[in-house]
Amino acid sequence: MKIINSSLFISGLLYPFVIYFFNKYLWIFFLLFSLLWLIKFIFIYSGRNSAVKESKNEFVKIFQSYSLFLGSKHMSFVFFLLFFFMFIIKYMNMQFEEVIYIYPVIIYVIFFAVFMYKIKEKPLIQSFAELEHKVRNLAPLTNKEKRYTYILTYIWSFFFLASALLCIFLSLFENKTYWVFYTGVAGYMLTGLLFISERLLRSKIIKIMK
């Protein structure tokens, strides 16, 4: 199962570049991608996927607890149908080619849903921060820090939503270079920049919130 998950991850990272540079052979890529999702669906359906239980990384466990639908058989089957439909489109030279640009949008929307899930009860970032404090033997989160994690969860959520909308907008351009650049390069860079800047500015922001 780890091989399947790794293959899906790598295929997802390469997706924009494959779309842009190998348009003639996209039907092969979509067929393979759909088969990977089908195999994952079969593993989950048969009960042989125990990735959540076997994970030793506490951060992964927390993320999975906020996004149970990510590992569900329903989500895997939906992705299988999506990419099999894309395979048919490219193989048969049908219309509706715009649908091949929807995958990054779906990923950003999923992350938006994960971060917004249970935000009223306990923000995802708060769970991560509490675990970090526990691992580093730090004092429990103060009310100010909890309020900060709540705001930060909203910031991440709307960053993913804005990215999804931007992907849709860029896909409408006839020149897909901008779409490839954002989905394959800039989107990851902005995510990393947001993460690093938040870590560097956290203490200053909490002081401002006093």
Side-chain angles (χ1 to χ4, degrees), residues 138-149:
L138 301 175
L141 293 177
T142 65
N143 289 331
K144 295 187 186 69
E145 290 171 325
K146 289 181 180 179
R147 190 163 66 252
Y148 171 71
T149 61

Side-chain angles (χ1 to χ4, degrees), residues 63 66-67 69 108-125 150-161:
F63 187 83
Y66 278 78
S67 54
F69 56 92
Y108 279 123
V109 169
I110 287 175
F111 274 101
F112 169 76
V114 169
F115 276 76
M116 289 298 292
Y117 182 56
K118 292 184 179 179
I119 194 168
K120 294 294 184 180
E121 301 174 22
K122 188 177 184 179
L124 176 61
I125 300 297
Y150 182 84
I151 294 173
L152 185 60
T153 303
Y154 266 117
I155 291 174
W156 275 106
S157 299
F158 287 107
F159 166 74
F160 290 127
L161 181 60

Side-chain angles (χ1 to χ4, degrees), residues 156 190-202:
W156 275 106
L190 288 175
T191 302
L193 181 62
L194 178 57
F195 177 78
I196 293 172
S197 60
E198 183 277 320
R199 300 289 295 182
L200 294 176
L201 298 174
R202 178 181 297 179

Side-chain angles (χ1 to χ4, degrees), residues 94-113:
M94 298 169 60
Q95 298 299 319
F96 317 112
E97 188 167 311
E98 292 76 11
V99 75
I100 69 176
Y101 300 102
I102 200 174
Y103 182 64
V105 177
I106 294 175
I107 297 301
Y108 279 123
V109 169
I110 287 175
F111 274 101
F112 169 76

